[in-house]
Amino acid sequence: MAAGAGGVVVIRVVVVDDQAVIRAGLRTMLEHESDLTIVGEAGNAGDAVQVVAAARPDVVLMDIRMPEVDGIEATRRILAGATVAPPAVLILTTFDDEEYVFGALQAGAAGFLLKDAGPDVLVAAVRTVAAGDALVDPSVTRRVVERWVALETSASPARPVPAAVDSLSAREREILVGLARGRTNRELAADLIVSEATVKTHVSNLLAKLGVRSRVQAVVLAYEVGVVRPGEGDLSW
């Protein structure tokens, strides 16, 4: 993020969608805000990787269904290619894309937003993921994660618990429980009676220990290895 006129911190955004009219609509909605600016657009996944590398945005609005290469693979390539400060990828989706959404979350997306969300919701979502805070809709994301992990584990046993999970401190485990329940940094700070800065530090530490890029991936990992049970939101250790 960069300082704009009057010292306002401006969030840099790249929009990726194969429909030009949608890109134009998103640009109109976002650039109406003084703290948001579009620094690039792409109509396909291949161009998206190049545009993001050149523009170095804070947030990427990513369409999930595109010809040839979808938004899941584009997200994976963008985050894998980021050397420092990777952008937060916000997936644009529809109600019938749950399988795609789960794949995107596994790839490291920061969250997802329905395409028919209004301007206020879209702007709030961009600001939220730019700040590295909670998912756009934690409750919906949790249902998606639970549904697909339940289907996977019904056919095969849960993965062994990695040593990295066992290495988490007691406080980091509490934070992971909170993430699984969809708590925001502010809510976690209130729950644990600490500052938001302290919560952010704990989140950063647990992500590093688990070897994941985002809080979403941490939650997915917790479900996949069975330390969080679908429908409960509590760790099983």
Side-chain angles (χ1 to χ4, degrees), residues 11-17 22-24 26-27 30-31 36-63 66 74-75 78 87-92 122 126 129-130:
I11 299 170
R12 298 161 54 83
V13 182
V14 163
V15 177
V16 182
D17 196 291
I22 292 180
R23 296 199 304 273
L26 291 171
R27 174 183 285 276
L30 294 178
E31 292 203 323
L36 304 178
T37 186
I38 304 296
V39 295
E41 296 181 15
N44 60 66
D47 288 347
V49 176
Q50 296 180 21
V51 170
V52 169
R56 298 182 64 181
D58 305 301
V59 175
V60 178
L61 288 180
M62 176 71 72
D63 183 21
M66 294 183 289
T75 297
I78 286 171
V89 179
L90 182 58
I91 298 295
L92 298 176
L122 174 65
V126 170
V129 297

Side-chain angles (χ1 to χ4, degrees), residues 75-213:
T75 297
R76 187 177 293 112
R77 292 180 186 179
I78 286 171
L79 296 180
T83 54
V84 294
V89 179
L90 182 58
I91 298 295
L92 298 176
T93 184
T94 60
F95 280 108
D96 59 352
D97 280 343
E98 282 194 354
E99 183 174 4
Y100 291 95
V101 169
F102 184 67
L105 297 181
Q106 286 182 307
F112 66 93
L113 185 68
L114 294 175
K115 278 192 171 183
D116 60 359
D120 291 345
V121 175
L122 174 65
V123 168
V126 170
R127 289 172 177 155
T128 295
V129 297
D133 206 339
L135 305 179
V136 177
D137 188 339
S139 63
V140 175
T141 302
R142 177 178 164 184
R143 289 200 299 272
V144 171
V145 172
E146 288 186 350
R147 174 179 174 182
W148 289 100
V149 171
L151 288 175
E152 288 185 353
T153 56
S154 66
S156 59
R159 290 165 45 189
V161 177
V165 175
D166 288 331
S167 74
L168 297 179
S169 68
R171 181 46 57 90
E172 289 164 351
R173 294 181 183 188
E174 288 181 293
I175 297 290
L176 185 55
V177 171
L179 297 183
R181 289 173 173 165
R183 308 293 280 171
T184 66
N185 285 350
R186 178 174 298 180
E187 290 168 339
L188 285 169
D191 293 342
L192 303 174
I193 317 178
V194 297
S195 69
E196 286 187 57
T198 297
V199 170
K200 289 181 180 179
T201 297
H202 284 308
V203 171
S204 296
N205 290 341
L206 76 87
L207 295 185
K209 286 185 178 181
L210 296 178
V212 296
R213 290 181 176 271

